[in-house]
Amino acid sequence: MEMKHVYLMRHCQAKGQDASCRLTEKGSAQAIELAHFFKGIRIERIISSPYQRALESCRPIAQDKQMIVEEDIRLAERVLSNVDLPNWQQLLEESFQDLEKKLEGGESGAEAAARGLEVLEEAISGPCDHIAIMTHGNLLTLMLQQLNPTYGFLEWKRMTNPDVFHLMIDNGQCQIERIWDK
C-alpha cells in the first residue's frame, strides 16, 4: 500500500455554529488563503461536512483543483448537548477526558470520533493517496485524539480557523503534523 496523505482541516471563521451559518468576510478571505496554501499540494479527493461553513471553506480548493466536493454527514460537528450550557467549555473538557460522557441531546466523544474515523478509514482504503477532509474543531480534535492520545481539550483550544493537520499513514502507522501556522 502506498503512503496515504490526509489533510484534516478545520473550517474558516464563520458567523455562528448553526449548520446553515456562512463564513464571515474574514472567513471568505481565509478560504482563498487556504486554497493558495494547497496550490502546490497534490489532492485527489475532497470530502467535507455538509455544514455551510465547511463547504464554503473548501470550495476554493476544489475550484482551483477542478474537483467536486463530496459531502458526508458523518463529518458534521459534534453536538455536545441540545440545551444551553453556561459551563459548556468545562463540560467539553470533561468530555475529552471521558469519551463516554454524554450530555442531554448530545453525542459522546467516542460516538463522534467513531463516525469521523469511519470517513477517514473509508477514504484511506480507497484508491486515492492524497485526500483532503474538511470538518469542525471538536470533531477534528476527537479524531486526532483517537490517532494520538496526546490530543485533547488544550489542542482544541489552540486550534485556529482554519487549521490543517497532515496525516501520513504508512503500514498502519500514522504521523500527525500541524502544517497551518498562519
Side-chain angles (χ1 to χ4, degrees):
M1 187 206 285
E2 287 284 316
M3 181 182 301
K4 302 283 183 163
H5 296 270
V6 178
Y7 300 92
L8 268 183
M9 301 179 285
R10 182 185 194 190
H11 63 81
C12 303
Q13 186 183 80
K15 294 179 180 176
Q17 294 299 308
D18 192 72
S20 62
C21 284
R22 303 184 65 106
L23 295 180
T24 61
E25 195 173 309
K26 179 180 179 181
S28 294
Q30 290 170 335
I32 292 165
E33 189 179 352
L34 194 57
H36 208 72
F37 177 81
F38 277 101
K39 274 261 196 264
I41 297 175
R42 184 172 169 206
I43 301 288
E44 299 167 284
R45 185 176 180 198
I46 302 172
I47 311 166
S48 176
S49 158
Y51 284 21
Q52 193 63 37
R53 61 189 180 269
L55 292 170
E56 288 180 12
S57 295
C58 64
R59 230 172 247 136
I61 299 168
Q63 289 168 343
D64 274 4
K65 299 198 179 285
Q66 299 179 327
M67 302 175 73
I68 60 157
V69 175
E70 300 169 42
E71 295 180 38
D72 194 317
I73 190 65
R74 295 173 295 175
L75 294 171
E77 181 60 296
R78 170 195 183 193
V79 174
L80 186 62
S81 174
N82 65 359
V83 296
D84 189 31
L85 302 168
N87 62 336
W88 69 270
Q89 277 206 23
Q90 175 197 334
L91 294 167
L92 180 64
E93 182 173 9
E94 290 170 12
S95 80
F96 274 105
Q97 294 158 3
D98 176 4
L99 290 176
E100 299 305 322
K101 183 179 187 82
K102 192 169 181 170
L103 302 173
E104 183 181 333
E107 172 179 40
S108 73
E111 290 168 335
R115 66 179 165 81
L117 288 176
E118 252 179 29
V119 176
L120 177 63
E121 287 166 11
E122 287 170 15
I124 63 174
S125 66
C128 298
D129 295 330
H130 300 82
I131 304 149
I133 297 176
M134 180 66 72
T135 188
H136 307 268
N138 191 331
L139 182 64
L140 191 152
T141 308
L142 287 164
M143 291 169 68
L144 291 174
Q145 186 180 47
Q146 292 301 301
L147 300 169
N148 180 338
T150 63
Y151 285 86
F153 180 74
L154 290 177
E155 287 68 30
W156 169 81
K157 277 193 86 148
R158 290 186 197 117
M159 208 175 278
T160 59
N161 290 93
D163 217 330
V164 182
F165 294 82
H166 180 197
L167 280 54
M168 292 154 282
I169 304 161
D170 192 20
N171 291 320
Q173 299 297 310
C174 180
Q175 289 185 335
I176 303 168
E177 181 184 2
R178 181 174 181 261
I179 59 172
W180 184 261
D181 57 4
K182 309 273 184 232

